[in-house]
Amino acid sequence: MSSSAWAAAPAAGHDTAPPRISPPRSAEVERALRQNYPRFQYCFVDFLAEQLADMSRSFQGDLQMVVLLATVGQVSLSAAIAAEAGGRHPPQLAPEPRGKTTNPLADCTGLPRETARRKLIAMEKMGWLTREDNFWYLTTSGEDTVARQALAELDDRALSRTARLYSSLSRLIAPAT
C-alpha cells in the first residue's frame, strides 16, 4: 500500500492517527471489474434492469420523461452545489446557470425538440419544473425539489438498490486492489 493511503496527521490527543485507506483510483477499479467481468456484468445488469423497471412503473412507461428530468436535475443540482459552495442560496441564481433551454435538452437527450417540449411542459404542469426566460430547472419547495418529494418512494428504493450494488461491486474490487 502506498504511503498516500494513510492519514498523515494524528488524531487530537493521540500520538498516531488511525490509518485511513484511500479508495482505489478509477483505473484500479476498472481493472478489477474487467478481471471479474461476468460477476460485474451480472451485478450491474441486475441493478440497471431493476432500476429501469422501477422508473418505468413510476413514470407510467415514459422513460423519455425520466431522461429529461434527470438531465434538468443534473444541471439544477450542479448549480445548487456551486451556489452553496459560494455561500449563496440556489434561488438567488439567474435561470441560465441552473437550467437549460429546450433545444439543448432535446439535443443532449436525443429526443425530438417537440417531444422534449411537450414533456417539459407536462412536468411544469405537475409542478416539478419551472420555466423562466425559457430556461427549465427543478422547482423547489422548502429545502427539497418538488419532483424529489413526489418521487420519494422511488428515490428510497434507488438508494437501497445503489447500496446493494456498491456492496456487491466492493466485494469484486477489494481482492484485486
Side-chain angles (χ1 to χ4, degrees), residues 37-137:
Y37 187 78
R39 287 181 180 89
F40 156 71
Q41 184 68 5
Y42 177 82
C43 293
F44 179 71
V45 171
D46 186 53
F47 164 83
L48 184 61
E50 190 177 336
Q51 183 66 21
L52 286 171
D54 198 8
M55 289 187 297
S56 182
R57 282 188 300 274
S58 296
F59 283 77
Q60 291 76 46
D62 193 348
L63 290 176
Q64 291 177 330
M65 190 176 281
V66 173
V67 172
L68 269 172
L69 181 62
T71 304
V72 172
Q74 288 299 94
V75 173
S76 295
L77 291 171
S78 176
I81 291 166
E84 289 172 359
R88 295 171 42 201
H89 194 51
Q92 295 171 327
L93 297 174
E96 184 175 350
R98 60 184 166 143
K100 277 190 178 271
T101 60
T102 303
N103 285 342
L105 285 167
D107 290 344
C108 72
T109 59
L111 294 174
R113 184 189 174 287
E114 186 55 30
T115 300
R117 187 187 74 73
R118 278 194 321 272
K119 291 179 185 302
L120 291 164
I121 289 170
M123 287 187 281
E124 180 183 36
K125 288 178 181 174
M126 296 164 70
W128 294 1
L129 299 181
T130 298
R131 179 177 28 175
E132 185 178 339
D133 298 334
N134 289 320
F135 286 88
W136 296 96
Y137 56 89

Side-chain angles (χ1 to χ4, degrees), residues 3-4 11 16 23-24 37 39 57 71 78 82 99 104 107 116 125 128 131 141 143 146 148 164 166-169 177:
S3 61
S4 65
T16 60
Y37 187 78
R39 287 181 180 89
R57 282 188 300 274
T71 304
S78 176
D107 290 344
K125 288 178 181 174
W128 294 1
R131 179 177 28 175
S141 175
E143 294 295 316
V146 174
R148 183 162 189 258
R164 288 193 318 268
Y166 176 83
S167 178
S168 296
L169 293 180
T177 58

